[in-house]
Amino acid sequence: QEYTGVKLEVLEWSDEIKELVASTKELEGVKVYMVAATLRPETMYGQTCCFVGPKIEYGIFKVNDKEAYLCTPRAARNMAFQRIFEEDGKFPQLASFPGSVLIGTVVNAPLSVHKDGVRILPMETVLATKGTGVVTCVPSDSPDDYATVTDLAKKPEYYKIQKEWAEFEIVPIIKTPSYGEMSAPYLVKELKINSPKDKDALAKAKELAYKEGFYQGIMLIGDYKDMEVQKAKPLVREKLIGDGLAFVYNEPEGKVISRSG
Ligand code: ZZB
């Protein structure tokens, strides 16, 4: 799987991790980026927040003297074999912590309409075994994201977040003939999805949104406004990479799954 690793620079650490970062000598003068793995760089305009799995283990890894990446150790290891870190095969770990301590952190989301940054919020369905474990949230076009932000706004105490953190504007970024200007809310409603745990319906909604967005989508925002998504996708990606805001991240295919089942 070829992902785009989008770099979300940390602007303000949450109280729970502030001290750990401040006491880590190697992070002095180093910019830390949370790396979100996405298959849809053209949707980055619609980022409203960014998710981590609260129970998943994350680390900060030194890329060079100026930059460090925050992701799962598994992703850092993969990156180290793709010439993303300074020394081939090495991914020096500077800190280790569960995702829960990151909740409330503010990061810069490249291209997002939310220019002052977005919050890190919890998503219980983040898989530790996929991508970087950091999932940038585009509720207009990702049904999983829409279902999650709806639940976060409904139950802030349960999720241990401030209510305002889950209240942000969701703007249309892609229009399609079948699902209008916001495919995710449309599909979540249409398929009667009530919870982020509604796995099967969400998988179905995701597939429909992917297909319709890719083959029929038209950009409503940004440098490639009015262009077909199919054409805009690689252009947005190249722009992000050219501006140093993203890089190519490959996930080795064929995980170790026993053939017998
Ligand atoms: C932004 C985005 C905007 C995404 C969208 C999707 C959509 P796939 O197809 O199953 O490979 N993702 C990435 N890593 C994880 C993880 N560890 N756990 C859970 N979800 C993860 O899924 C790739 C997509 O799943 C990625 O692309 C990311 O969300 C999420 F409008 O990034 B995406 C219709 C989907 N729309």
Side-chain angles (χ1 to χ4, degrees), residues 5 21 23 39 48 62 75 92 98 107 139 149 152 174 182 184 195 206 210 240 248 254:
V21 172
S23 66
L39 294 176
T48 61
K62 185 180 168 181
V107 295
V149 298
L152 288 171
I174 289 165
M182 287 208 210
S195 150
K206 180 176 180 171
Y210 262 136
L240 283 167
V248 175

Side-chain angles (χ1 to χ4, degrees), residues 6-261:
V6 179
K7 295 164 66 177
L8 295 91
E9 185 185 346
V10 175
L11 303 177
E12 186 193 316
W13 293 104
S14 67
D15 288 340
E16 288 78 10
I17 193 174
K18 222 176 239 166
E19 275 163 41
L20 173 64
V21 172
S23 66
T24 305
K25 264 226 162 71
E26 291 114 311
L27 283 174
E28 260 174 50
V30 172
K31 282 188 180 174
V32 181
Y33 298 87
M34 294 191 57
V35 179
T38 183
L39 294 176
R40 300 201 61 189
E42 77 281 8
T43 66
M44 295 300 99
Y45 300 101
Q47 296 174 86
T48 61
C49 58
C50 176
F51 297 126
V52 293
K55 292 178 190 144
I56 295 175
E57 201 64 25
Y58 294 85
I60 299 178
F61 302 89
K62 185 180 168 181
V63 178
N64 55 43
D65 286 339
K66 298 199 179 84
E67 297 190 0
Y69 290 167
L70 193 163
C71 59
T72 55
R74 179 192 149 278
R77 166 182 293 274
N78 284 336
M79 287 177 196
F81 293 101
Q82 295 171 40
R83 303 187 177 277
I84 291 164
F85 288 91
E86 202 166 50
E87 208 182 327
D88 213 24
K90 299 252 165 73
F91 48 108
Q93 183 157 3
L94 306 180
S96 175
F97 41 81
S100 57
V101 302
L102 291 165
I103 309 301
T105 294
V106 180
V107 295
N108 172 59
L111 300 180
S112 171
V113 293
H114 296 283
K115 298 258 176 267
D116 298 332
V118 302
R119 294 275 176 188
I120 301 302
L121 296 174
M123 183 192 229
E124 286 171 355
T125 53
V126 172
L127 300 167
T129 49
K130 183 163 120 178
T132 56
V134 176
V135 180
T136 196
C137 171
V138 184
S140 55
D141 290 79
S142 165
D144 289 286
D145 296 356
Y146 185 72
T148 298
V149 298
T150 304
D151 216 46
L152 288 171
K154 254 193 251 168
K155 303 186 277 185
E157 304 83 15
Y158 171 81
Y159 287 110
K160 301 192 187 79
I161 61 163
Q162 292 181 28
K163 195 170 185 346
E164 314 84 77
W165 293 354
E167 293 170 337
F168 29 65
E169 198 188 353
I170 304 178
V171 301
I173 56 166
I174 289 165
K175 75 170 176 205
T176 65
S178 306
Y179 311 138
E181 298 205 328
M182 287 208 210
S183 59
Y186 180 95
L187 283 163
V188 164
K189 194 164 173 225
E190 186 72 15
L191 302 186
K192 302 189 172 63
I193 296 166
N194 292 313
S195 150
K197 290 184 184 138
D198 208 341
K199 231 178 154 191
D200 295 340
L202 277 167
K204 173 91 187 146
K206 180 176 180 171
E207 194 193 321
L208 293 171
Y210 262 136
K211 279 214 184 103
E212 180 79 2
F214 184 72
Y215 292 108
Q216 310 286 346
I218 303 285
M219 299 299 297
L220 293 172
I221 191 169
D223 285 350
Y224 310 104
K225 189 171 182 289
D226 300 326
M227 195 184 275
E228 291 165 31
V229 164
Q230 262 181 89
K231 291 193 183 132
K233 187 195 269 290
L235 298 177
V236 177
R237 188 186 205 213
E238 288 317 309
K239 173 97 176 98
L240 283 167
I241 293 173
D243 290 344
L245 296 168
F247 55 86
V248 175
Y249 170 62
N250 287 295
E251 194 103 287
E253 218 125 338
K255 278 169 246 151
V256 190
I257 298 168
S258 91
R259 274 168 198 273
S260 54

